[in-house]
Amino acid sequence: MTCIVGLVDGDRVWMGGDSAGVNGLDITVRADTKVFRNGDSLIGFTSSFRMGQLLHYRLEVPPREHDTDLFRYMVVDFVDAVRNCLKDGGYAHRSNDVETGGTFMVGLEGRLFTVQSDYQVGEAVRGYHAIGCGSDYALGSLASTIGQPPEERVLKALECAELFNGGVRAPFTIQSSLRRPQLALTEAA
């Protein structure tokens, strides 16, 4: 199920997601969105609506110290908070001493990160990424629309994924967030 699309455009991160809830051959168009804000973070998820609900309503995004590298913050502080949130919410899985969660994207401070089910954090050099069963179609669309307005690119990527993948359905939710100014980080410290 799902297609989540993320795109960095200047100091803004755009993210869009579909509304499909899939169980085997059954599909439900859901009212609860897969893309939302939690504090300064823009989050889009796949894997499980339960995981998304925990990330939306239970995750307490930790503050980032002004002198902490953003990628390090994501790998250490952010992921530790996610792991605790998913464990406390009964979602994290443990098998053969390996803990897993789910897959989601985070737009934060003008950058786009993907957190995989093993909690690794990735950041695509190309400035856009997609996750979920429709991701290959969305990535092809994003690669072919460079130079077009960012919201339009995200919408076209989702429409392309819906056209070719049975697990992706409109309506689509598209949001954006601005990079937090460096001045605000310094003043908050």
Side-chain angles (χ1 to χ4, degrees), residues 77-100:
D77 302 322
F78 188 88
V79 165
D80 282 352
V82 167
R83 287 181 65 219
N84 289 331
C85 170
L86 297 183
K87 279 190 271 189
D88 292 347
Y91 180 76
H93 305 278
R94 192 159 194 80
S95 178
N96 297 324
D97 285 334
V98 176
E99 179 186 326
T100 58

Side-chain angles (χ1 to χ4, degrees), residues 67 79 127 144 167 187:
D67 60 345
V79 165
S144 70
E187 290 175 353

